[in-house]
Amino acid sequence: DNLYAESMLYQIGGKNNATATAKNAQAVERQVLSKAGVSSDSYKLADGSGLSLYNYITPEAEVLMLKYAYNNKKIFGELCQSLPSAGVDGTLRKRMKNAPVLDNVRAKTGTVTGISSLAGYATSPDGHMLAFCIINQGVMSNSKAHAFQDQVCRAICE
């Protein structure tokens, strides 16, 4: 997935017959982030895969992007289908296997040394779809970070 993400970055950079460079791609990314209401001081772009420790983004900026995607039906349909479903598939296959979170949370995991994150959508008991982002830093145990993230998702869904 990370190789695909990096390749997509260069595809974005080649938009409108521009040279496919990371610099051009990041200019396009900045435009989209701005459309979503994300302030330029809440992120720093280093690569397309998200593996660089020089990528920075706030949870608030992530949620603004998720809300932007939700409000753009052309984006949301594809995005939501691509996200792993809690207790069902992908990186969430072995997590959140009981009601009310089972198949009720669709989210992307992210892990680099010392950092664990989960961002996506969960449906509240009243039927509202909520965007969320949890970023745990200083993580010594991914299992503890995952347990915390799972508890937050359960709280959203109960």
Side-chain angles (χ1 to χ4, degrees):
D1 290 347
N2 294 322
L3 178 60
Y4 292 144
E6 192 69 26
S7 296
M8 285 177 58
L9 176 75
Y10 283 89
Q11 289 295 317
I12 291 168
K15 183 181 173 189
N16 299 328
N17 297 320
T19 304
T21 65
K23 182 178 179 181
N24 287 343
Q26 289 175 351
V28 173
E29 287 179 313
R30 283 189 210 27
Q31 290 172 355
V32 173
L33 287 160
S34 178
K35 280 184 188 179
V38 177
S39 169
S40 62
D41 62 356
S42 64
Y43 67 89
K44 181 179 176 188
L45 306 172
D47 70 358
S49 70
L51 290 176
S52 172
L53 293 176
Y54 297 103
N55 286 310
Y56 300 101
I57 191 158
T58 65
E60 178 185 19
E62 288 266 1
V63 168
L64 286 171
M65 289 299 296
L66 289 166
K67 287 171 57 178
Y68 175 78
Y70 179 81
N71 290 318
N72 185 328
K73 298 305 177 196
K74 289 189 288 186
I75 296 172
F76 182 71
E78 297 291 326
L79 173 64
C80 195
Q81 285 183 338
S82 74
L83 294 171
S85 185
V88 175
D89 59 10
T91 53
L92 296 180
R93 176 179 71 257
K94 296 180 181 179
R95 294 174 60 181
M96 298 181 270
K97 296 182 77 93
N98 299 308
V101 288
L102 175 66
D103 204 23
N104 193 25
V105 172
R106 297 193 71 96
K108 173 75 176 92
T109 61
T111 307
V112 294
T113 303
I115 301 170
S116 177
S117 64
L118 184 67
Y121 303 96
T123 305
S124 68
D126 59 5
H128 290 99
M129 184 169 283
L130 306 174
F132 70 90
C133 177
I134 306 162
I135 301 176
N136 301 101
Q137 297 181 11
V139 172
M140 298 297 288
S141 165
N142 281 332
S143 63
K144 287 181 181 177
H146 292 174
F148 172 77
Q149 294 162 2
D150 296 356
Q151 287 176 337
V152 171
C153 288
R154 176 173 290 284
I156 292 170
C157 296
E158 287 182 331

